[in-house]
Amino acid sequence: MLNGVIELVRFAVVTFLAAVAANVIVSLVAYACAKMIRVQGQETAMRDRLARYARIATGLTNRVEARKNTAAGAATHLFGAQRHEKQLKGRIRELENSPHRFVRMIGAEQFPNKPYEFLVINTSVAHQVKRGEKHPFYDSSWAQPCPVHVWARGPEEAKAEFERVYPKASGFKAVYAQPLTGAAAPKDSSEGDGVETADDPEMEPA
């Protein structure tokens, strides 16, 4: 029993001394390598390299944060645009289901411009509505004649302005056009109150 204890103590002492010797050897080797690096003048270069790498890492981190902030702002803008689009689509559905027609306006409502009314349909929308489909760009109200009031100096200018805003290439077609008179027509202040401007000659359907 006593011999076993002695052997155990001896083993522990030898192990402790071996560990101490190993640590001393490692420390001496590390000290020698550090001394050699200093002697060769590489310590400053390595420190400069480490500092440069640290600056690069900091720059990359800042860039990543900036990209995150930009992405967050873009996502907020996208959500806002989608919400606004949803509101507009809801408003369009309300107008489509409304018993009253709304009038689209083109031009400045002031003298010497005069109003001209165009009844307009979109043939592409009309065809898709007949097939039970929905046009990808225009609402279904264009399947029926919609009033468009164009303010211009004369019928030719009104027709040109109408075709600029509602081109035939997009499927728009004016089934009827006429100058508006009476309360809708502007009055020239130089001619006095209650005096209406002269009516334009009847316009032909566009």
Side-chain angles (χ1 to χ4, degrees), residues 72-204:
T76 302
H77 181 73
L78 176 61
F79 292 150
Q82 290 177 342
R83 184 168 57 252
H84 184 60
E85 180 184 9
K86 185 177 180 180
Q87 293 174 353
L88 291 177
K89 287 183 177 180
R91 179 57 179 162
I92 289 174
R93 286 193 295 269
E94 291 178 2
L95 292 173
E96 289 178 350
N97 298 327
S98 174
H100 307 287
R101 295 190 305 174
F102 62 98
V103 179
R104 296 168 172 87
M105 308 292 294
I106 301 175
E109 304 178 44
Q110 59 186 12
F111 188 84
N113 291 344
K114 289 172 282 189
Y116 299 86
E117 182 178 52
F118 292 77
L119 292 181
V120 187
I121 65 170
N122 188 290
T123 55
S124 299
V125 175
H127 292 327
Q128 291 198 282
V129 168
K130 288 181 180 179
R131 294 195 297 266
E133 301 174 354
K134 188 174 181 62
H135 197 277
F137 304 114
Y138 304 114
D139 60 87
S140 301
S141 63
W142 288 108
Q144 301 295 328
C146 298
V148 176
H149 290 179
V150 181
W151 288 74
R153 295 175 181 270
E156 294 299 326
E157 180 180 333
K159 184 177 180 180
E161 188 68 11
F162 166 78
E163 292 179 350
R164 181 186 67 83
V165 178
Y166 299 103
K168 294 181 179 179
S170 298
F172 291 100
K173 178 182 178 182
V175 296
Y176 186 74
Q178 68 175 1
L180 288 179
T181 57
K187 303 178 189 301
D188 186 355
S189 58
S190 63
E191 296 181 3
D193 295 336
V195 180
E196 297 181 357
T197 58
D199 295 342
D200 288 317
E202 186 71 19
M203 298 175 62
E204 297 180 357

Side-chain angles (χ1 to χ4, degrees), residues 16-120:
F16 174 75
L17 293 177
V20 171
N23 288 333
V24 171
I25 293 173
V26 171
S27 299
L28 290 175
V29 171
Y31 176 79
C33 292
K35 193 69 174 178
M36 187 179 300
I37 291 174
R38 291 191 185 95
V39 171
Q40 294 178 354
Q42 296 179 357
E43 181 180 12
T44 303
M46 292 184 66
R47 288 183 177 180
D48 293 340
R49 186 178 300 175
L50 290 174
R52 184 168 63 253
Y53 289 159
R55 289 194 297 270
I56 293 175
T58 302
L60 290 175
T61 301
N62 294 336
R63 187 175 300 177
V64 169
E65 292 298 326
R67 294 290 177 84
K68 287 182 179 179
N69 294 334
T70 301
T76 302
H77 181 73
L78 176 61
F79 292 150
Q82 290 177 342
R83 184 168 57 252
H84 184 60
E85 180 184 9
K86 185 177 180 180
Q87 293 174 353
L88 291 177
K89 287 183 177 180
R91 179 57 179 162
I92 289 174
R93 286 193 295 269
E94 291 178 2
L95 292 173
E96 289 178 350
N97 298 327
S98 174
H100 307 287
R101 295 190 305 174
F102 62 98
V103 179
R104 296 168 172 87
M105 308 292 294
I106 301 175
E109 304 178 44
Q110 59 186 12
F111 188 84
N113 291 344
K114 289 172 282 189
Y116 299 86
E117 182 178 52
F118 292 77
L119 292 181
V120 187

